Amino acid sequence: MAWDEWEQLKGAAARRHSTQMQLNQLPVDPGGGGTQGDLVVGHQDLEAVGKAAHDLFEDFTRYSGHARVASEAAAGGLKSEGFALGAALEHVAKRWSEQTQTLSDACAHISNHLRYTKNLHAADDSYIAGAISSIATLDEGFDERKGH
């Protein structure tokens, strides 16, 4: 295959598979009826995400702690023997500690937020059920013939 032929094939392939941006969206409703999406999240879904975030927080905190301690020990040993690599490893261990703290904080925040959201919605559901119950009780006492 000649070089020119190869360049032509590459160009043809590039034209067939050109990169284009495509936005995923719901079809436009020309009638203005307000199209609804199909995203549904239930309590079990939120609980699963919250549990996964909590588990990740606990496991990552434990395992990253082991890696940090081992790295700091290795850095100290290398530095005490006069190796410049010890200071570099110490720097990496410090950055590792900072980054793991950021990830742990994010996992804890997700878990705590989902737990708070679950409790808040449970309280809302309880309030709404009580309000509906009291309205039903009022309706039962209403005498339509007398108007009260």
Side-chain angles (χ1 to χ4, degrees), residues 59-72 88-104:
D59 292 344
F60 189 71
T61 300
R62 180 176 46 253
Y63 296 127
S64 68
H66 295 309
R68 180 187 49 79
V69 169
S71 297
E72 288 172 350
L89 186 54
E90 185 177 64
H91 174 76
V92 169
K94 180 181 177 197
R95 292 290 296 156
W96 172 260
S97 182
E98 292 168 358
Q99 295 298 316
T100 57
Q101 185 61 48
T102 300
L103 179 59
S104 294

PDB file of all heavy atoms in Angstrom, residues 59-72 88-104:
ATOM      1  N   ASP A  59     -13.999   1.691  54.954  1.00  0.00           N
ATOM      2  CA  ASP A  59     -12.937   0.872  54.362  1.00  0.00           C
ATOM      3  C   ASP A  59     -11.767   1.725  53.879  1.00  0.00           C
ATOM      4  O   ASP A  59     -10.603   1.398  54.121  1.00  0.00           O
ATOM      5  CB  ASP A  59     -13.483   0.046  53.199  1.00  0.00           C
ATOM      6  CG  ASP A  59     -14.449  -1.038  53.642  1.00  0.00           C
ATOM      7  OD1 ASP A  59     -14.480  -1.362  54.853  1.00  0.00           O
ATOM      8  OD2 ASP A  59     -15.176  -1.558  52.778  1.00  0.00           O
ATOM      9  N   PHE A  60     -12.075   2.810  53.201  1.00  0.00           N
ATOM     10  CA  PHE A  60     -11.011   3.648  52.658  1.00  0.00           C
ATOM     11  C   PHE A  60     -10.205   4.298  53.777  1.00  0.00           C
ATOM     12  O   PHE A  60      -8.981   4.401  53.679  1.00  0.00           O
ATOM     13  CB  PHE A  60     -11.588   4.715  51.719  1.00  0.00           C
ATOM     14  CG  PHE A  60     -10.524   5.466  50.977  1.00  0.00           C
ATOM     15  CD1 PHE A  60      -9.807   4.846  49.972  1.00  0.00           C
ATOM     16  CD2 PHE A  60     -10.233   6.765  51.296  1.00  0.00           C
ATOM     17  CE1 PHE A  60      -8.814   5.523  49.290  1.00  0.00           C
ATOM     18  CE2 PHE A  60      -9.245   7.451  50.625  1.00  0.00           C
ATOM     19  CZ  PHE A  60      -8.539   6.827  49.616  1.00  0.00           C
ATOM     20  N   THR A  61     -10.879   4.719  54.840  1.00  0.00           N
ATOM     21  CA  THR A  61     -10.162   5.310  55.969  1.00  0.00           C
ATOM     22  C   THR A  61      -9.187   4.298  56.569  1.00  0.00           C
ATOM     23  O   THR A  61      -8.031   4.622  56.843  1.00  0.00           O
ATOM     24  CB  THR A  61     -11.164   5.798  57.037  1.00  0.00           C
ATOM     25  OG1 THR A  61     -12.012   6.789  56.444  1.00  0.00           O
ATOM     26  CG2 THR A  61     -10.455   6.400  58.229  1.00  0.00           C
ATOM     27  N   ARG A  62      -9.648   3.077  56.744  1.00  0.00           N
ATOM     28  CA  ARG A  62      -8.798   2.031  57.325  1.00  0.00           C
ATOM     29  C   ARG A  62      -7.618   1.698  56.414  1.00  0.00           C
ATOM     30  O   ARG A  62      -6.465   1.726  56.833  1.00  0.00           O
ATOM     31  CB  ARG A  62      -9.626   0.778  57.612  1.00  0.00           C
ATOM     32  CG  ARG A  62      -8.819  -0.358  58.221  1.00  0.00           C
ATOM     33  CD  ARG A  62      -9.638  -1.589  58.617  1.00  0.00           C
ATOM     34  NE  ARG A  62     -10.591  -2.027  57.609  1.00  0.00           N
ATOM     35  CZ  ARG A  62     -11.912  -1.875  57.692  1.00  0.00           C
ATOM     36  NH1 ARG A  62     -12.452  -1.285  58.743  1.00  0.00           N
ATOM     37  NH2 ARG A  62     -12.709  -2.318  56.737  1.00  0.00           N
ATOM     38  N   TYR A  63      -7.896   1.386  55.153  1.00  0.00           N
ATOM     39  CA  TYR A  63      -6.838   0.944  54.251  1.00  0.00           C
ATOM     40  C   TYR A  63      -5.883   2.074  53.867  1.00  0.00           C
ATOM     41  O   TYR A  63      -4.680   1.846  53.729  1.00  0.00           O
ATOM     42  CB  TYR A  63      -7.424   0.282  53.005  1.00  0.00           C
ATOM     43  CG  TYR A  63      -8.180  -0.982  53.335  1.00  0.00           C
ATOM     44  CD1 TYR A  63      -9.482  -1.173  52.905  1.00  0.00           C
ATOM     45  CD2 TYR A  63      -7.601  -1.984  54.113  1.00  0.00           C
ATOM     46  CE1 TYR A  63     -10.181  -2.330  53.217  1.00  0.00           C
ATOM     47  CE2 TYR A  63      -8.294  -3.140  54.436  1.00  0.00           C
ATOM     48  CZ  TYR A  63      -9.583  -3.312  53.981  1.00  0.00           C
ATOM     49  OH  TYR A  63     -10.262  -4.448  54.301  1.00  0.00           O
ATOM     50  N   SER A  64      -6.393   3.269  53.677  1.00  0.00           N
ATOM     51  CA  SER A  64      -5.499   4.375  53.336  1.00  0.00           C
ATOM     52  C   SER A  64      -4.612   4.719  54.524  1.00  0.00           C
ATOM     53  O   SER A  64      -3.477   5.167  54.344  1.00  0.00           O
ATOM     54  CB  SER A  64      -6.292   5.602  52.885  1.00  0.00           C
ATOM     55  OG  SER A  64      -7.021   6.154  53.964  1.00  0.00           O
ATOM     56  N   GLY A  65      -5.107   4.500  55.739  1.00  0.00           N
ATOM     57  CA  GLY A  65      -4.285   4.715  56.929  1.00  0.00           C
ATOM     58  C   GLY A  65      -3.088   3.773  56.957  1.00  0.00           C
ATOM     59  O   GLY A  65      -1.974   4.178  57.292  1.00  0.00           O
ATOM     60  N   HIS A  66      -3.331   2.513  56.578  1.00  0.00           N
ATOM     61  CA  HIS A  66      -2.219   1.548  56.516  1.00  0.00           C
ATOM     62  C   HIS A  66      -1.176   1.997  55.489  1.00  0.00           C
ATOM     63  O   HIS A  66       0.033   1.939  55.752  1.00  0.00           O
ATOM     64  CB  HIS A  66      -2.725   0.148  56.149  1.00  0.00           C
ATOM     65  CG  HIS A  66      -3.619  -0.475  57.158  1.00  0.00           C
ATOM     66  ND1 HIS A  66      -3.311  -0.562  58.499  1.00  0.00           N
ATOM     67  CD2 HIS A  66      -4.837  -1.062  57.025  1.00  0.00           C
ATOM     68  CE1 HIS A  66      -4.290  -1.175  59.145  1.00  0.00           C
ATOM     69  NE2 HIS A  66      -5.243  -1.481  58.268  1.00  0.00           N
ATOM     70  N   ALA A  67      -1.639   2.435  54.323  1.00  0.00           N
ATOM     71  CA  ALA A  67      -0.720   2.877  53.270  1.00  0.00           C
ATOM     72  C   ALA A  67       0.060   4.111  53.717  1.00  0.00           C
ATOM     73  O   ALA A  67       1.268   4.229  53.459  1.00  0.00           O
ATOM     74  CB  ALA A  67      -1.495   3.173  51.987  1.00  0.00           C
ATOM     75  N   ARG A  68      -0.616   5.025  54.406  1.00  0.00           N
ATOM     76  CA  ARG A  68       0.051   6.241  54.876  1.00  0.00           C
ATOM     77  C   ARG A  68       1.148   5.913  55.877  1.00  0.00           C
ATOM     78  O   ARG A  68       2.283   6.391  55.762  1.00  0.00           O
ATOM     79  CB  ARG A  68      -0.963   7.201  55.497  1.00  0.00           C
ATOM     80  CG  ARG A  68      -0.351   8.503  56.008  1.00  0.00           C
ATOM     81  CD  ARG A  68      -1.363   9.354  56.775  1.00  0.00           C
ATOM     82  NE  ARG A  68      -2.098   8.610  57.784  1.00  0.00           N
ATOM     83  CZ  ARG A  68      -1.617   8.280  58.991  1.00  0.00           C
ATOM     84  NH1 ARG A  68      -0.398   8.604  59.320  1.00  0.00           N
ATOM     85  NH2 ARG A  68      -2.364   7.619  59.851  1.00  0.00           N
ATOM     86  N   VAL A  69       0.828   5.064  56.856  1.00  0.00           N
ATOM     87  CA  VAL A  69       1.808   4.697  57.882  1.00  0.00           C
ATOM     88  C   VAL A  69       3.012   3.999  57.251  1.00  0.00           C
ATOM     89  O   VAL A  69       4.166   4.319  57.568  1.00  0.00           O
ATOM     90  CB  VAL A  69       1.150   3.808  58.963  1.00  0.00           C
ATOM     91  CG1 VAL A  69       2.181   3.201  59.887  1.00  0.00           C
ATOM     92  CG2 VAL A  69       0.126   4.607  59.757  1.00  0.00           C
ATOM     93  N   ALA A  70       2.761   3.069  56.331  1.00  0.00           N
ATOM     94  CA  ALA A  70       3.857   2.356  55.674  1.00  0.00           C
ATOM     95  C   ALA A  70       4.712   3.316  54.842  1.00  0.00           C
ATOM     96  O   ALA A  70       5.956   3.226  54.856  1.00  0.00           O
ATOM     97  CB  ALA A  70       3.305   1.238  54.789  1.00  0.00           C
ATOM     98  N   SER A  71       4.087   4.231  54.135  1.00  0.00           N
ATOM     99  CA  SER A  71       4.825   5.186  53.305  1.00  0.00           C
ATOM    100  C   SER A  71       5.658   6.131  54.165  1.00  0.00           C
ATOM    101  O   SER A  71       6.812   6.440  53.834  1.00  0.00           O
ATOM    102  CB  SER A  71       3.871   6.002  52.430  1.00  0.00           C
ATOM    103  OG  SER A  71       3.191   5.165  51.537  1.00  0.00           O
ATOM    104  N   GLU A  72       5.083   6.600  55.277  1.00  0.00           N
ATOM    105  CA  GLU A  72       5.828   7.483  56.172  1.00  0.00           C
ATOM    106  C   GLU A  72       7.018   6.759  56.802  1.00  0.00           C
ATOM    107  O   GLU A  72       8.098   7.339  56.949  1.00  0.00           O
ATOM    108  CB  GLU A  72       4.908   8.053  57.253  1.00  0.00           C
ATOM    109  CG  GLU A  72       3.930   9.081  56.711  1.00  0.00           C
ATOM    110  CD  GLU A  72       2.886   9.510  57.733  1.00  0.00           C
ATOM    111  OE1 GLU A  72       2.779   8.880  58.814  1.00  0.00           O
ATOM    112  OE2 GLU A  72       2.170  10.483  57.445  1.00  0.00           O
ATOM    113  N   ALA A  88      11.201  12.831  48.919  1.00  0.00           N
ATOM    114  CA  ALA A  88      10.166  12.771  47.876  1.00  0.00           C
ATOM    115  C   ALA A  88       9.010  11.880  48.338  1.00  0.00           C
ATOM    116  O   ALA A  88       7.841  12.227  48.167  1.00  0.00           O
ATOM    117  CB  ALA A  88      10.751  12.259  46.573  1.00  0.00           C
ATOM    118  N   LEU A  89       9.327  10.735  48.934  1.00  0.00           N
ATOM    119  CA  LEU A  89       8.285   9.830  49.417  1.00  0.00           C
ATOM    120  C   LEU A  89       7.510  10.463  50.568  1.00  0.00           C
ATOM    121  O   LEU A  89       6.302  10.291  50.676  1.00  0.00           O
ATOM    122  CB  LEU A  89       8.894   8.490  49.850  1.00  0.00           C
ATOM    123  CG  LEU A  89       7.916   7.397  50.247  1.00  0.00           C
ATOM    124  CD1 LEU A  89       6.890   7.132  49.154  1.00  0.00           C
ATOM    125  CD2 LEU A  89       8.669   6.121  50.596  1.00  0.00           C
ATOM    126  N   GLU A  90       8.185  11.219  51.390  1.00  0.00           N
ATOM    127  CA  GLU A  90       7.521  11.939  52.486  1.00  0.00           C
ATOM    128  C   GLU A  90       6.511  12.941  51.924  1.00  0.00           C
ATOM    129  O   GLU A  90       5.389  13.067  52.430  1.00  0.00           O
ATOM    130  CB  GLU A  90       8.565  12.643  53.339  1.00  0.00           C
ATOM    131  CG  GLU A  90       8.016  13.319  54.575  1.00  0.00           C
ATOM    132  CD  GLU A  90       9.126  13.934  55.385  1.00  0.00           C
ATOM    133  OE1 GLU A  90       9.798  14.859  54.880  1.00  0.00           O
ATOM    134  OE2 GLU A  90       9.313  13.486  56.532  1.00  0.00           O
ATOM    135  N   HIS A  91       6.910  13.637  50.855  1.00  0.00           N
ATOM    136  CA  HIS A  91       6.002  14.584  50.194  1.00  0.00           C
ATOM    137  C   HIS A  91       4.788  13.856  49.616  1.00  0.00           C
ATOM    138  O   HIS A  91       3.649  14.315  49.766  1.00  0.00           O
ATOM    139  CB  HIS A  91       6.744  15.338  49.080  1.00  0.00           C
ATOM    140  CG  HIS A  91       5.862  16.225  48.270  1.00  0.00           C
ATOM    141  ND1 HIS A  91       5.400  17.434  48.734  1.00  0.00           N
ATOM    142  CD2 HIS A  91       5.331  16.062  47.022  1.00  0.00           C
ATOM    143  CE1 HIS A  91       4.625  17.984  47.813  1.00  0.00           C
ATOM    144  NE2 HIS A  91       4.570  17.174  46.762  1.00  0.00           N
ATOM    145  N   VAL A  92       5.027  12.711  48.972  1.00  0.00           N
ATOM    146  CA  VAL A  92       3.923  11.919  48.403  1.00  0.00           C
ATOM    147  C   VAL A  92       2.989  11.451  49.513  1.00  0.00           C
ATOM    148  O   VAL A  92       1.760  11.517  49.378  1.00  0.00           O
ATOM    149  CB  VAL A  92       4.469  10.716  47.591  1.00  0.00           C
ATOM    150  CG1 VAL A  92       3.360   9.744  47.234  1.00  0.00           C
ATOM    151  CG2 VAL A  92       5.177  11.204  46.339  1.00  0.00           C
ATOM    152  N   ALA A  93       3.543  11.005  50.633  1.00  0.00           N
ATOM    153  CA  ALA A  93       2.721  10.533  51.752  1.00  0.00           C
ATOM    154  C   ALA A  93       1.871  11.671  52.319  1.00  0.00           C
ATOM    155  O   ALA A  93       0.703  11.468  52.688  1.00  0.00           O
ATOM    156  CB  ALA A  93       3.603   9.928  52.838  1.00  0.00           C
ATOM    157  N   LYS A  94       2.446  12.867  52.377  1.00  0.00           N
ATOM    158  CA  LYS A  94       1.689  14.026  52.874  1.00  0.00           C
ATOM    159  C   LYS A  94       0.525  14.344  51.935  1.00  0.00           C
ATOM    160  O   LYS A  94      -0.602  14.563  52.378  1.00  0.00           O
ATOM    161  CB  LYS A  94       2.606  15.237  53.010  1.00  0.00           C
ATOM    162  CG  LYS A  94       1.897  16.463  53.523  1.00  0.00           C
ATOM    163  CD  LYS A  94       2.823  17.650  53.628  1.00  0.00           C
ATOM    164  CE  LYS A  94       2.021  18.856  54.081  1.00  0.00           C
ATOM    165  NZ  LYS A  94       2.700  20.093  53.848  1.00  0.00           N
ATOM    166  N   ARG A  95       0.801  14.373  50.634  1.00  0.00           N
ATOM    167  CA  ARG A  95      -0.265  14.641  49.657  1.00  0.00           C
ATOM    168  C   ARG A  95      -1.319  13.531  49.686  1.00  0.00           C
ATOM    169  O   ARG A  95      -2.503  13.788  49.568  1.00  0.00           O
ATOM    170  CB  ARG A  95       0.322  14.754  48.237  1.00  0.00           C
ATOM    171  CG  ARG A  95       1.201  15.967  48.032  1.00  0.00           C
ATOM    172  CD  ARG A  95       0.438  17.251  48.026  1.00  0.00           C
ATOM    173  NE  ARG A  95      -0.468  17.247  46.888  1.00  0.00           N
ATOM    174  CZ  ARG A  95      -1.577  17.956  46.818  1.00  0.00           C
ATOM    175  NH1 ARG A  95      -1.924  18.733  47.803  1.00  0.00           N
ATOM    176  NH2 ARG A  95      -2.355  17.887  45.761  1.00  0.00           N
ATOM    177  N   TRP A  96      -0.865  12.272  49.848  1.00  0.00           N
ATOM    178  CA  TRP A  96      -1.777  11.133  49.948  1.00  0.00           C
ATOM    179  C   TRP A  96      -2.735  11.355  51.118  1.00  0.00           C
ATOM    180  O   TRP A  96      -3.933  11.169  50.993  1.00  0.00           O
ATOM    181  CB  TRP A  96      -0.985   9.841  50.136  1.00  0.00           C
ATOM    182  CG  TRP A  96      -1.838   8.646  50.435  1.00  0.00           C
ATOM    183  CD1 TRP A  96      -2.067   8.100  51.665  1.00  0.00           C
ATOM    184  CD2 TRP A  96      -2.598   7.866  49.515  1.00  0.00           C
ATOM    185  NE1 TRP A  96      -2.913   7.027  51.560  1.00  0.00           N
ATOM    186  CE2 TRP A  96      -3.248   6.860  50.250  1.00  0.00           C
ATOM    187  CE3 TRP A  96      -2.779   7.922  48.144  1.00  0.00           C
ATOM    188  CZ2 TRP A  96      -4.073   5.920  49.654  1.00  0.00           C
ATOM    189  CZ3 TRP A  96      -3.613   6.984  47.553  1.00  0.00           C
ATOM    190  CH2 TRP A  96      -4.244   6.001  48.300  1.00  0.00           C
ATOM    191  N   SER A  97      -2.176  11.767  52.238  1.00  0.00           N
ATOM    192  CA  SER A  97      -2.994  11.995  53.430  1.00  0.00           C
ATOM    193  C   SER A  97      -4.033  13.088  53.182  1.00  0.00           C
ATOM    194  O   SER A  97      -5.201  12.950  53.567  1.00  0.00           O
ATOM    195  CB  SER A  97      -2.090  12.373  54.603  1.00  0.00           C
ATOM    196  OG  SER A  97      -2.847  12.543  55.772  1.00  0.00           O
ATOM    197  N   GLU A  98      -3.617  14.167  52.524  1.00  0.00           N
ATOM    198  CA  GLU A  98      -4.548  15.267  52.231  1.00  0.00           C
ATOM    199  C   GLU A  98      -5.668  14.802  51.298  1.00  0.00           C
ATOM    200  O   GLU A  98      -6.844  15.125  51.510  1.00  0.00           O
ATOM    201  CB  GLU A  98      -3.795  16.438  51.595  1.00  0.00           C
ATOM    202  CG  GLU A  98      -2.835  17.126  52.535  1.00  0.00           C
ATOM    203  CD  GLU A  98      -1.902  18.084  51.804  1.00  0.00           C
ATOM    204  OE1 GLU A  98      -1.971  18.183  50.550  1.00  0.00           O
ATOM    205  OE2 GLU A  98      -1.085  18.727  52.488  1.00  0.00           O
ATOM    206  N   GLN A  99      -5.304  14.075  50.255  1.00  0.00           N
ATOM    207  CA  GLN A  99      -6.293  13.625  49.278  1.00  0.00           C
ATOM    208  C   GLN A  99      -7.247  12.588  49.866  1.00  0.00           C
ATOM    209  O   GLN A  99      -8.445  12.606  49.571  1.00  0.00           O
ATOM    210  CB  GLN A  99      -5.594  13.051  48.033  1.00  0.00           C
ATOM    211  CG  GLN A  99      -4.796  14.085  47.262  1.00  0.00           C
ATOM    212  CD  GLN A  99      -5.669  15.196  46.714  1.00  0.00           C
ATOM    213  OE1 GLN A  99      -6.734  14.952  46.175  1.00  0.00           O
ATOM    214  NE2 GLN A  99      -5.220  16.425  46.856  1.00  0.00           N
ATOM    215  N   THR A 100      -6.728  11.679  50.681  1.00  0.00           N
ATOM    216  CA  THR A 100      -7.611  10.685  51.294  1.00  0.00           C
ATOM    217  C   THR A 100      -8.573  11.347  52.265  1.00  0.00           C
ATOM    218  O   THR A 100      -9.721  10.917  52.383  1.00  0.00           O
ATOM    219  CB  THR A 100      -6.822   9.574  52.014  1.00  0.00           C
ATOM    220  OG1 THR A 100      -5.973  10.154  53.000  1.00  0.00           O
ATOM    221  CG2 THR A 100      -6.015   8.761  51.044  1.00  0.00           C
ATOM    222  N   GLN A 101      -8.121  12.395  52.946  1.00  0.00           N
ATOM    223  CA  GLN A 101      -9.021  13.110  53.852  1.00  0.00           C
ATOM    224  C   GLN A 101     -10.148  13.771  53.067  1.00  0.00           C
ATOM    225  O   GLN A 101     -11.305  13.738  53.480  1.00  0.00           O
ATOM    226  CB  GLN A 101      -8.249  14.160  54.664  1.00  0.00           C
ATOM    227  CG  GLN A 101      -9.102  14.841  55.707  1.00  0.00           C
ATOM    228  CD  GLN A 101      -9.652  13.878  56.742  1.00  0.00           C
ATOM    229  OE1 GLN A 101      -8.921  13.069  57.291  1.00  0.00           O
ATOM    230  NE2 GLN A 101     -10.950  13.943  57.006  1.00  0.00           N
ATOM    231  N   THR A 102      -9.822  14.323  51.907  1.00  0.00           N
ATOM    232  CA  THR A 102     -10.842  14.950  51.058  1.00  0.00           C
ATOM    233  C   THR A 102     -11.875  13.923  50.601  1.00  0.00           C
ATOM    234  O   THR A 102     -13.088  14.167  50.669  1.00  0.00           O
ATOM    235  CB  THR A 102     -10.183  15.617  49.839  1.00  0.00           C
ATOM    236  OG1 THR A 102      -9.271  16.625  50.299  1.00  0.00           O
ATOM    237  CG2 THR A 102     -11.213  16.252  48.922  1.00  0.00           C
ATOM    238  N   LEU A 103     -11.407  12.750  50.158  1.00  0.00           N
ATOM    239  CA  LEU A 103     -12.327  11.701  49.713  1.00  0.00           C
ATOM    240  C   LEU A 103     -13.163  11.178  50.879  1.00  0.00           C
ATOM    241  O   LEU A 103     -14.377  10.990  50.744  1.00  0.00           O
ATOM    242  CB  LEU A 103     -11.565  10.557  49.055  1.00  0.00           C
ATOM    243  CG  LEU A 103     -12.421   9.388  48.565  1.00  0.00           C
ATOM    244  CD1 LEU A 103     -13.455   9.847  47.547  1.00  0.00           C
ATOM    245  CD2 LEU A 103     -11.551   8.292  47.986  1.00  0.00           C
ATOM    246  N   SER A 104     -12.544  10.977  52.022  1.00  0.00           N
ATOM    247  CA  SER A 104     -13.283  10.500  53.200  1.00  0.00           C
ATOM    248  C   SER A 104     -14.354  11.502  53.612  1.00  0.00           C
ATOM    249  O   SER A 104     -15.475  11.119  53.952  1.00  0.00           O
ATOM    250  CB  SER A 104     -12.321  10.248  54.368  1.00  0.00           C
ATOM    251  OG  SER A 104     -11.462   9.183  54.079  1.00  0.00           O
TER     252      SER A 104
END
